[in-house]
Amino acid sequence: MTLIKSPKIWEMPGRLITPEKDYISRRQFLKSLGLLGIGSVALMSGCTGEKTAEFRPPAKITDTIPAPGENYPFRKNEKYTSTRALTDEIVAASYNNYYEFTTEKDQVWQLAARLKTEPWEISITGEVEKALNVGIDDLLKKMPLEERIYRHRCVEAWSMIVPWSGFSLKSLIDFARPTHKANYLKMTSFFRRNEAPGQKAVWYPFPYYEALTMAEAMNELSFLATGIYGHDLPKQHGAPLRLVVPWKYGFKSIKGIVKFEFTERRPGTFWNDFQSEEYGFTANVNPTVPHPRWSQATERLIGVNERIPTRMYNGYEAYVAHLYR
Ligand SMILES: Nc1nc2c(c(=O)[nH]1)N[C@H]1C(S)=C(S)[C@@H](COP(=O)(O)O)O[C@H]1N2
Ligand SMILES: [Mo]
């Protein structure tokens, strides 16, 4: 018998991608009731006598952050830097979008701890001279590693500034040797319902998948991150491998990648296939084009709660505007 969990009201497609201001007011509401935070949850179960021998305190957020391995720190590429201060690391690690685990941003870090990231095989396939599989550790040995500071702008109108460690997507493409028929690069995330409870939500087209044109993928900004803040990626940020395309809305930057596939025709993408009126294939950051349900003119910088104007292509116009003329 197959058990299909009926959707909870807060998981229903109707409330997909909560506009930032609703999210904040809901948090403030919960806070006013004293219902926010691990401390209060532990306290509540204590009061009601639910604390049994099996009770395990939840992992602390600091437990989810890896220590710097022997490769670190990666060489800083000073070309990609920021005049604004970096986002606080703990803030970035506790406010995530990763629907494979949950749609609640402040709970991803706890649930993602279940994902098994070792070993991690990546397949490279489609329009390539020779399809192959490679383990993440072997791949890293072949790639030119560096650190870059990038801005990140979510379609929900929040943003952050973080240092990524990794390598350019172009270096992976050179390694993959696509044929002349390759016009697009599709990337797919892992699919493991037993480790990722959000993947049981049958209305989403999991596994998550994204795609770029070859010109976008070859652009110098397109980056594959294996680390953040000078150590490997915590699982909530997409360990062990995620895309970073900083001139596009955050949903293009797919996490937990297991497959790169070169294609002749344009592939679908997770959000565009799910809600095409709200999320496009190209999804470049553009302050003049509002989302159907909210403005994109400004964004909230997480950690400092500063509201700042959104910039065309998220400020990366000089690198990418020529791709769209
Ligand atoms: N596999 C996968 N990748 C994903 C997502 C997701 O739900 N699943 N969410 C995207 C969205 S909407 C954003 S804003 C960023 C968030 O990255 P972060 O949580 O590391 O800040 O990841 C993107 N990549
Ligand atoms: Mo996002």
Side-chain angles (χ1 to χ4, degrees):
M1 191 180 75
T2 330
L3 280 177
I4 298 175
K5 188 173 131 255
S6 63
K8 296 197 185 89
I9 186 69
W10 61 86
E11 295 172 345
M12 296 284 278
R15 74 173 282 292
L16 282 176
I17 301 207
T18 314
E20 242 328 78
K21 67 170 173 22
D22 295 1
Y23 180 79
I24 292 169
S25 53
R26 193 167 51 83
R27 272 185 76 92
Q28 276 159 357
F29 175 70
L30 290 175
K31 212 173 194 169
S32 69
L33 294 177
L35 287 179
L36 212 61
I38 299 152
S40 56
V41 172
L43 201 72
M44 276 158 58
S45 41
C47 292
T48 52
E50 277 170 30
K51 201 167 170 177
T52 66
E54 281 168 40
F55 176 82
R56 277 187 300 124
K60 292 196 303 297
I61 182 114
T62 45
D63 297 343
T64 70
I65 302 199
E70 55 192 35
N71 291 338
Y72 289 95
F74 289 12
R75 178 185 67 87
K76 277 193 175 52
N77 187 333
E78 303 288 352
K79 190 170 177 191
Y80 311 103
T81 179
S82 164
T83 47
R84 283 183 191 276
L86 295 181
T87 299
D88 181 274
E89 172 169 10
I90 299 295
V91 171
S94 55
Y95 190 79
N96 304 99
N97 274 328
Y98 211 165
Y99 277 33
E100 282 84 339
F101 297 98
T102 171
T103 57
E104 300 296 315
K105 287 194 230 329
D106 53 357
Q107 289 168 28
V108 172
W109 64 270
Q110 280 180 311
L111 289 166
R114 295 186 201 173
L115 182 69
K116 205 169 157 262
T117 54
E118 280 169 51
W120 194 271
E121 282 267 305
I122 294 152
S123 75
I124 299 180
T125 178
E127 291 296 342
V128 286
E129 281 174 28
K130 192 174 179 292
L132 60 92
N133 286 352
V134 60
I136 184 70
D137 297 333
D138 287 340
L139 179 65
L140 266 162
K141 284 180 198 140
K142 302 183 205 315
M143 296 291 117
L145 306 178
E146 59 177 57
E147 180 178 282
R148 301 179 177 191
I149 295 170
Y150 276 165
R151 293 181 290 281
H152 173 96
R153 170 60 156 81
C154 176
V155 73
E156 300 162 317
W158 57 268
S159 63
M160 62 181 186
I161 305 166
V162 298
W164 300 107
S165 296
F167 49 92
S168 66
L169 179 55
K170 184 180 179 300
S171 45
L172 178 111
I173 294 171
D174 291 344
F175 170 73
R177 291 188 291 145
T179 69
H180 68 277
K181 279 187 174 168
N183 295 319
Y184 297 89
L185 173 58
K186 176 179 178 182
M187 288 148 278
T188 308
S189 302
F190 68 90
F191 190 47
R192 296 188 209 155
R193 284 176 160 158
N194 52 339
E195 293 172 34
Q199 289 188 328
K200 290 178 182 155
V202 292
W203 52 93
Y204 289 122
F206 285 121
Y208 202 94
Y209 51 106
E210 258 303 338
L212 299 169
T213 65
M214 282 304 287
E216 291 173 331
M218 296 289 285
N219 186 273
E220 66 173 281
L221 288 180
S222 296
F223 197 67
L224 285 169
T226 56
I228 190 169
Y229 295 101
H231 50 68
D232 282 347
L233 289 169
K235 293 175 182 178
Q236 59 268 38
H237 280 307
L241 187 68
R242 68 164 303 158
L243 179 69
V244 188
V245 278
W247 74 99
K248 293 177 176 288
Y249 288 121
F251 64 84
K252 297 290 295 182
S253 292
I254 179 174
K255 310 201 232 187
I257 303 172
V258 296
K259 186 169 158 188
F260 293 88
E261 185 177 358
F262 294 85
T263 69
E264 190 169 1
R265 292 163 164 272
R266 194 176 95 170
T269 57
F270 181 93
W271 280 107
N272 187 236
D273 287 346
F274 189 69
Q275 272 188 327
S276 58
E277 338 71 61
E278 303 204 346
Y279 309 103
F281 174 88
T282 303
N284 292 330
V285 175
N286 186 340
T288 69
V289 179
H291 182 275
R293 293 185 278 137
W294 58 87
S295 162
Q296 296 291 26
T298 63
E299 63 201 53
R300 183 179 68 92
L301 200 46
I302 61 169
V304 288
N305 277 333
E306 201 183 324
R307 197 156 268 287
I308 58 173
T310 291
R311 295 158 70 188
M312 190 65 195
Y313 299 112
N314 198 23
Y316 295 102
E317 203 158 7
Y319 296 88
V320 295
H322 68 274
L323 295 173
Y324 308 104
R325 279 198 193 106

